[in-house]
Amino acid sequence: MDKDLRKLLAGYVDGELTDEERTAFEKELQSSAESRAELEEFRKLKEVTSMVRYADLPDEVWESYWQSLYRKLERGIGWILLSVGAILLLGFGLYHGLHDLYIAPQVSIWVKICVTALGGGVIFLLVSFVRERLFAYRRDRYREVMK
Amino acid sequence: MCTDAALVMDIKKGNKKAFGKLVERHKKSAFRMALGLVGNKDDAYDISQEAFMRVYRSAKTYDEAQPFLPWFYTIIANLCRTWLQRRTKQDNRMVSIEEASFLLVTEGTPESKLIAKETVARLREALMQLPFTDREIITLQHFRGMAYDEIAALLNVPRGTVMSRLYYARRKLATLMRQSDG
């Protein structure tokens, strides 16, 4: 069956063809047993799908839909503010803490080296973890798979 | 009555009432769109809410010269795609009875309903095996009852593409139904 005929077949089942298209399709239909069989199959399919409807949600869920959505929006803004504040505070605390530690003459050089190693280790592990996740994501053959 | 585009322009200015109106107007269709694509009521509900939150947050990027629905539908479809990809990775998850009942038999005698229920169970299974774009076009035409021109506008594709996509999607669906019939 050619490409145009396939298109027409879909439109014919749904009553979406123009008079001209319908006449052309019906003419083709008489000479093509394959088209007739497919047409029959598609009609049965339409019959099956017309027997069903989507499940709905209870009325009370619809009534509280807006409140639920509004709460989520508010919480989203709350989380953003909380995260920004926490990151800024943490950065500020770390900067001052490390600054005081490194300039304090009474703190042993070994403590400074250990703190530097600790900080370096955390950063190193973090970078490695992020890189691994990125690598795994890019190499995931099934990430475009959709059901 | 305010158009959808006018409401989004008001949302841009921070008007929450306009946002409420838009939500009231489209909440059910957003839910049904998502339900057809993910086949699960709870997730469809969450996706529809997330879609509205994205509308609110990205109202600034909305071009008022463009119709609202295709833009909104793209947001829903993208969220559904992401949800399905995540689900594919956790594929061993059990399908609950609640999830299996997203399609319901509409009418008939108790006997005919029983027969129809089996057919619908096969239909649901076949639908969930279809690739995303095929399920999308079937959902819009068969379950949302949209005309070809409406689908073409929503998906931003020519009418001929709607027809050929429907043809191939139906053929796959019919094959899957036949296979599950044994």
Side-chain angles (χ1 to χ4, degrees):
Chain A
M1 205 192 302
D2 74 28
K3 210 177 160 188
D4 288 336
L5 201 59
R6 285 170 181 165
K7 279 187 190 177
L8 293 180
L9 176 55
Y12 189 74
V13 175
D14 298 319
E16 286 263 3
L17 298 186
T18 60
D19 289 346
E20 197 183 327
E21 287 171 330
R22 197 172 55 245
T23 311
F25 179 74
E26 282 170 351
K27 199 177 159 194
E28 284 291 334
L29 202 59
Q30 285 171 354
S31 59
S32 168
E34 190 196 349
S35 301
R36 285 197 299 274
E38 268 198 325
L39 178 64
E40 192 50 37
E41 192 161 43
F42 283 7
R43 277 183 172 152
K44 275 185 192 159
L45 198 62
K46 280 221 89 165
E47 214 174 284
V48 171
T49 56
S50 67
M51 289 193 308
V52 297
R53 62 177 171 81
Y54 281 147
D56 204 353
L57 295 170
D59 286 345
E60 57 268 26
V61 176
W62 287 123
E63 280 156 21
S64 61
Y65 190 92
W66 167 246
Q67 283 91 338
S68 160
L69 180 61
Y70 194 76
R71 271 198 303 272
K72 281 184 191 172
L73 261 182
E74 269 183 340
R75 280 180 201 159
I77 296 166
W79 277 112
I80 291 169
L81 289 174
L82 188 83
S83 308
V84 169
I87 289 167
L88 287 176
L89 267 178
L90 196 71
F92 182 78
L94 266 175
Y95 173 77
H96 281 280
L98 290 175
H99 183 261
D100 291 349
L101 181 87
Y102 283 113
I103 59 161
Q106 70 275 25
V107 178
S108 146
I109 184 77
W110 290 108
V111 174
K112 290 175 185 172
I113 289 171
C114 287
V115 170
T116 307
L118 191 75
V122 168
I123 292 168
F124 194 79
L125 287 172
L126 196 70
V127 169
S128 168
F129 174 75
V130 170
R131 207 175 48 183
E132 185 194 339
R133 294 299 299 239
L134 273 176
F135 185 73
Y137 177 76
R138 284 193 194 129
R139 299 272 300 218
D140 184 359
R141 287 190 295 136
Y142 299 104
R143 88 185 131 109
E144 297 301 332
V145 173
M146 287 168 226
K147 279 203 162 184
Chain B
M1 196 173 74
C2 267
T3 62
D4 293 334
L7 288 176
V8 182
M9 297 317 286
D10 286 344
I11 295 169
K12 242 185 214 189
K13 294 172 200 155
N15 184 341
K16 286 205 170 74
K17 265 193 177 173
F19 184 50
K21 267 189 196 169
L22 194 78
V23 171
E24 280 306 311
R25 199 178 282 178
H26 294 291
K27 63 184 182 186
K28 290 193 177 180
S29 66
F31 166 75
R32 285 178 195 135
M33 293 266 194
L35 185 61
L37 296 173
V38 299
N40 173 291
K41 282 193 279 183
D42 292 339
D43 294 317
Y45 177 85
D46 287 343
I47 287 169
S48 70
Q49 292 221 324
E50 179 63 32
F52 281 117
M53 287 200 278
R54 293 205 179 179
V55 166
Y56 187 79
R57 287 184 201 133
S58 51
K60 285 190 180 76
T61 65
Y62 176 69
D63 174 7
E64 62 181 314
Q66 300 299 318
F68 169 74
L69 274 182
W71 183 64
F72 185 48
Y73 178 73
T74 306
I75 294 175
I76 296 176
N78 286 340
L79 285 168
C80 291
R81 271 196 190 97
T82 310
W83 183 89
L84 288 166
Q85 281 165 359
R86 215 178 296 150
R87 186 177 157 170
T88 306
K89 285 177 186 167
Q90 310 161 343
D91 215 8
N92 51 358
R93 197 178 82 151
M94 290 287 286
V95 174
S96 67
I97 293 167
E98 181 70 8
E99 191 173 332
S101 63
F102 85 99
L103 288 175
L104 303 174
V105 180
T106 44
E107 55 200 35
T109 60
E111 292 80 20
S112 68
K113 266 194 165 182
L114 194 69
I115 299 165
K117 264 188 176 175
E118 287 170 20
T119 314
V120 170
R122 285 194 290 122
L123 172 66
R124 183 204 168 269
E125 201 182 312
L127 274 173
M128 296 317 285
Q129 285 178 58
L130 280 181
F132 188 85
T133 46
D134 293 330
R135 188 160 61 247
E136 178 178 56
I137 201 91
I138 294 278
T139 296
L140 296 174
Q141 207 287 321
H142 286 249
F143 300 111
R144 305 282 302 137
M146 291 173 81
Y148 285 9
D149 287 336
E150 290 176 302
I151 300 175
L154 191 74
L155 300 179
N156 200 19
V157 294
R159 193 170 183 273
T161 307
V162 173
M163 289 164 97
S164 55
R165 274 198 200 168
L166 256 174
Y167 171 83
Y168 290 108
R170 280 177 179 155
R171 204 164 73 167
K172 282 181 205 165
L173 185 61
T175 308
L176 287 166
M177 294 273 291
R178 234 183 295 125
Q179 282 169 355
S180 69
D181 205 12

